[in-house]
Amino acid sequence: MAIGTEQSAAVSDISAIKPGDVLYGRHQSWKEGKAGFVTRVTEKHIAIQYYPGIANITNHYFIPFTEAAAGEWEIRYSTELSEVYEYRNSKGGEYNFSESQ
């Protein structure tokens, strides 16, 4: 399912990922990714709330669609955990999600 394509700028299809989905994201500069819940999806970014390992604390990180289109993010997400989709950036900046094996 495509969530956006890049023409002169990234264009997002915010119906593909929605608040409440479980999402794992790892930026290319991070050693390890972070799993959490999608809290907000706008035309510019996805906001993910995650547990950083400190009691009674949560934190957020953001995945800008422009960075995802540039191939800077590894993303997996699921709505009900019965199907897991994996981000794959094809040439041309199209967001391609396919079911993980």
Side-chain angles (χ1 to χ4, degrees):
M1 176 180 282
I3 64 166
T5 59
E6 184 174 79
Q7 294 164 12
S8 61
V11 177
S12 57
D13 174 6
I14 59 176
S15 66
I17 296 177
K18 55 191 170 302
D21 287 356
V22 176
L23 187 142
Y24 166 87
R26 187 181 72 79
H27 188 266
Q28 65 184 8
S29 66
W30 300 353
K31 264 186 159 177
E32 297 179 359
K34 296 180 180 358
F37 294 97
V38 175
T39 58
R40 183 175 59 237
V41 180
T42 70
E43 292 185 14
K44 294 187 179 197
H45 70 267
I46 303 169
I48 298 93
Q49 180 178 1
Y50 70 97
Y51 173 68
I54 303 170
N56 298 324
I57 301 290
T58 59
N59 206 347
H60 288 81
Y61 67 93
F62 300 90
I63 300 176
F65 285 118
T66 54
E67 289 182 8
E72 297 179 23
W73 286 89
E74 171 188 342
I75 301 170
R76 282 180 241 133
Y77 80 100
S78 179
T79 299
E80 298 179 4
L81 296 177
S82 58
E83 295 178 310
V84 177
Y85 296 92
E86 184 173 354
Y87 170 78
R88 294 199 179 136
N89 185 17
S90 67
K91 291 182 181 179
E94 188 172 333
Y95 298 89
N96 291 317
F97 282 84
S98 61
E99 192 171 341
S100 288
Q101 300 295 334

